[in-house]
Amino acid sequence: MSTSNPWRAYSGRNGIKRAIIPVTALILTPCFLVLTFTGSAWWLLALLISTALVLLGLYDIFQPHWSITRNFPVAGRIRWMFLNLRPYFRAYIVEGDEEGRPFSHEARQLVYARAEGSSDMHPFGTEKDVQGEEYIWLSHSIKPAEKPDISRRTEVGKGRCTQPYSTALLNISAMSFGALSAAAIEALNKGAALGGFYHDTGEGGISPYHRKHGGDLVWELGTGYFGARNDDGSFNPDLFRETCDEQVKMTEIKLSQGAKPGHGGVLPGAKVTREIASTRKVPPGRDCVSPRSHAMFSTPIEMLEFAEQMRELSGGKPVGIKLCVGHIYEVMAIMKAMHETGKLVDFIVVDGAEGGTGAAPLELSNHVGMPLLEGLIIVRNALVGAGLKDRVKLAASGKVYSASGLAKCLAIGADWCNAARPFMFSVGCIQSQRCHTDTCPTGVTTQDPRRQRGLVVDVQSRRAAAFQAKTLEALGDIIAGAGINDPHDLKPYHLFHRINGAKSLPIDRIWHFLDHNCLIEAPEDTPYWHWWLAARADSFQPAIRLEEGKYASIRQPTSH
């Protein structure tokens, strides 16, 4: 049918049905016009509504952009309304306790309960499918421990740094000022100060809101070097030294993040206020772009040299790296570089592909990057196999929101965990998933001061501290049940994973867990042999051709 005559689509009975709303309004409009002359204000209101519907229907018929409203004027817009309301109907009416994504209703309620100090008890038994293939549990002892020590901290940089740092078991993961609001940053940092744990700045630099309450900071430097950069985007050592004051306890080189590995972030110019521009050391009102890769180094050895420079400039504070695992030979290349040069990073934070961010391309969030379980096992094996685990600490970050998640990571080999979105929940986030629109309804991820007004720093900071403390208390119950007093005594054999409905195994019978120094002494006896062979200390490129079928599985055979 030709589009030159749009009225042809509305001829006949079916055409009138498609345009039922504007047609009805058109018929009623003269009636309301006549009745309005009787002097009733109600008829005037009805006249205005029906006239508006007629005009909207005419616009819909002639506009060329949307097929649905062109064919179903006005009525087609009802579909848009329900699409906009769909997330709310699902979250509040339809969604089951275990169904929500990325965090289920049960997970969110657990964080809220602990942040508010209310009961986190669950009645009538587990709702999880204990025969399902995703079920993981921790084994317990007939003789539980009486007094588990959840106050144990991890010394980072001891023996190598002049200012080592003792980190808590659970800390605030990287979230930048700009991605989060000023009020949210302030509440999180005050919560960290109250609870005695650290607050990772994210790559957006250190803002005045990070400074206001004096909570311990880990300063993350991404590819944009925000807060320590020259006008051309290169690293400024003098500015870094000046900014790295007593409140900054450690620094962290961001190589990649789970939500969007290999992607440089973009903060649109409209969001780059003078305050954000001052924090990041960029021009206000212009797009703030993070390059895909670092300009200060391009090889593993150069990365370690940059880390040494940062350690020296900071006055001897620990320096680490953060990454979502991608090519396994690149992880091995970092190990080779540390082993061959003797230059070490002080810690490695492994982010999982399930980690979150304010906004990321859908394909990167869904299909790029290694999940935390696999990534953490690989980096743990690389450190242990290269004989470095006692000197380079390991942290985990990626959808860790509960004590069971903490225990799982500690059992695999992490020394501590970081959490981002759970701490957002603790200060008011409701998972409305509008982080990238600047319309966050709770003031957590918006720069709109009217919306930020809803977030009261003194109240929400106490909630953040309470969530961390209650989660560690729950961890104490778990390790006591396992019969141990120190969370760091959790081992892979404490962690069971169901293979199928008829079989489950300890995780070290499913995945290979390497012995100390085996990659140095006999790499050919490990399933990482070809990745180790491909790794080069002087390059992130593989040293050999990576042919299909060369790799052994890093999983154990399941025939045990």
Side-chain angles (χ1 to χ4, degrees):
M1 177 171 39
S2 171
T3 59
S4 60
N5 183 9
W7 297 112
R8 291 182 61 186
Y10 304 100
S11 60
R13 183 180 300 175
N14 289 333
I16 294 175
K17 286 181 180 179
R18 287 201 296 270
I20 187 66
I21 295 177
V23 167
T24 301
L26 184 63
I27 294 170
L28 292 176
T29 297
C31 300
F32 292 144
L33 181 61
V34 171
L35 292 169
T36 299
F37 285 109
T38 64
S40 172
W42 291 108
W43 294 122
L44 177 60
L45 178 62
L47 173 64
L48 293 174
I49 293 172
S50 62
T51 302
L53 290 175
V54 169
L55 294 175
L56 182 59
L58 290 172
Y59 170 79
D60 284 345
I61 289 170
F62 286 99
Q63 59 79 30
H65 305 292
W66 304 290
S67 301
I68 185 70
T69 56
R70 192 172 167 87
N71 286 339
F72 296 88
V74 183
R77 294 176 178 271
I78 297 174
R79 173 180 177 272
W80 294 345
M81 180 182 71
F82 279 100
L83 279 175
N84 289 330
L85 292 174
R86 178 177 176 271
Y88 306 103
F89 286 143
R90 180 166 180 79
Y92 296 114
I93 300 174
V94 180
E95 180 183 287
D97 286 350
E98 292 286 332
E99 293 179 352
R101 293 290 186 272
F103 285 83
S104 68
H105 175 78
E106 180 185 77
R108 301 193 304 269
Q109 291 305 119
L110 178 65
V111 176
Y112 295 148
R114 288 177 174 166
E116 293 166 1
S118 57
S119 174
D120 57 2
M121 297 294 104
H122 182 77
F124 223 62
T126 182
E127 297 177 29
K128 295 187 178 297
D129 178 8
V130 297
Q131 300 301 317
E133 292 185 11
E134 294 184 359
Y135 189 63
I136 297 177
W137 72 92
L138 288 128
S139 61
H140 66 280
S141 172
I142 291 174
K143 190 180 187 313
E146 292 297 330
K147 295 181 179 180
D149 185 5
I150 57 171
S151 65
R152 291 294 298 270
R153 300 174 75 90
T154 298
E155 288 287 336
V156 187
K158 187 175 181 180
R160 186 166 51 253
C161 299
T162 57
Q163 297 187 61
Y165 179 65
S166 177
T167 177
L169 289 168
L170 179 61
N171 305 279
I172 301 171
S173 193
M175 294 180 285
S176 300
F177 174 53
L180 295 193
S181 68
I185 292 291
E186 189 178 335
L188 289 172
N189 192 257
K190 187 174 182 180
L194 291 171
F197 50 94
Y198 77 65
H199 179 191
D200 193 312
T201 65
E203 65 176 308
I206 303 176
S207 71
Y209 308 101
H210 289 99
R211 299 291 196 188
K212 193 168 182 180
H213 300 285
D216 289 353
L217 294 177
V218 172
W219 184 9
E220 182 182 88
L221 283 184
T223 56
Y225 307 115
F226 297 125
R229 58 185 266 142
N230 297 306
D231 291 341
D232 63 358
S234 61
F235 178 68
N236 185 321
D238 293 329
L239 189 54
F240 177 82
R241 182 192 293 111
E242 177 186 331
T243 307
C244 203
D245 60 8
E246 184 179 348
Q247 190 181 354
V248 178
K249 303 301 182 182
M250 301 194 293
T251 58
E252 177 181 283
I253 304 168
K254 174 187 167 184
L255 303 178
S256 60
Q257 70 181 91
K260 47 184 177 183
H263 188 276
V266 178
L267 191 65
K271 289 188 175 183
V272 184
T273 63
R274 291 192 176 276
E275 195 170 40
I276 292 172
S278 175
T279 296
R280 297 195 176 202
K281 311 303 180 188
V282 298
R286 290 169 55 182
D287 289 351
C288 183
V289 181
S290 300
R292 291 184 185 274
S293 59
H294 280 268
M296 292 301 296
F297 57 86
S298 59
T299 71
I301 291 177
E302 290 176 355
M303 184 194 75
L304 297 177
E305 290 171 346
F306 181 53
E308 284 208 330
Q309 181 187 9
M310 289 172 60
R311 189 182 294 115
E312 181 181 352
L313 291 169
S314 68
K317 295 174 182 178
V319 180
I321 58 174
K322 170 188 169 181
L323 78 161
C324 176
V325 176
H327 298 315
I328 297 176
Y329 60 80
E330 293 179 342
V331 174
M332 299 302 171
I334 295 171
M335 303 303 146
K336 275 192 174 180
M338 289 194 286
H339 184 265
E340 292 178 11
T341 65
K343 299 174 181 178
L344 308 180
V345 293
D346 299 296
F347 64 94
I348 298 176
V349 178
V350 179
D351 198 10
E354 60 269 55
T357 183
L362 185 64
E363 292 86 354
L364 290 183
S365 291
N366 285 350
H367 302 292
V368 180
M370 192 173 291
L372 180 60
L373 175 67
E374 288 90 337
L376 189 60
I377 290 173
I378 286 169
V379 178
R380 177 267 177 206
N381 280 340
L383 286 170
V384 172
L388 298 169
K389 181 64 174 68
D390 58 336
R391 291 178 288 168
V392 179
K393 301 304 180 182
L394 181 60
S397 174
K399 209 174 178 181
V400 178
Y401 67 89
S402 66
S404 58
L406 257 173
K408 181 173 74 173
C409 293
L410 294 173
I412 290 171
D415 294 294
W416 74 86
C417 292
N418 295 334
R421 290 168 293 177
F423 274 103
M424 289 172 62
F425 292 143
S426 76
V427 298
C429 170
I430 60 172
Q431 194 172 277
S432 64
Q433 295 181 284
R434 293 161 68 179
C435 313
H436 59 301
T437 65
D438 204 36
T439 58
C440 169
T442 60
V444 175
T445 63
T446 177
Q447 301 307 313
D448 184 342
R450 294 170 298 178
R451 291 177 183 262
Q452 286 188 47
R453 179 184 174 277
L455 199 161
V456 180
V457 170
D458 288 342
V459 173
Q460 302 301 340
S461 60
R462 292 194 295 271
R463 288 169 53 98
F467 161 67
Q468 194 263 4
K470 289 288 187 180
T471 303
L472 292 189
E473 284 182 22
L475 177 65
D477 291 336
I478 290 175
I479 65 169
I484 58 180
N485 290 304
D486 187 339
H488 294 112
D489 288 337
L490 284 167
K491 303 299 180 187
Y493 60 77
H494 287 118
L495 192 63
F496 278 71
H497 195 167
R498 183 166 295 287
I499 304 300
N500 53 49
K503 192 171 188 177
S504 60
L505 291 169
I507 201 166
D508 59 353
R509 299 284 299 278
I510 302 172
W511 299 84
H512 285 275
F513 280 74
L514 300 188
D515 295 327
H516 176 75
N517 223 37
C518 65
L519 285 173
I520 304 300
E521 296 172 351
E524 65 277 5
D525 294 335
T526 75
Y528 296 91
W529 163 232
H530 288 93
W531 281 298
W532 185 259
L533 195 63
R536 300 168 51 183
D538 62 346
S539 175
F540 284 113
Q541 296 301 313
I544 61 172
R545 184 176 179 181
L546 301 174
E547 297 176 1
E548 185 177 358
K550 282 284 188 181
Y551 301 104
S553 172
I554 60 174
R555 281 180 179 266
Q556 293 272 17
T558 57
S559 58
H560 287 290

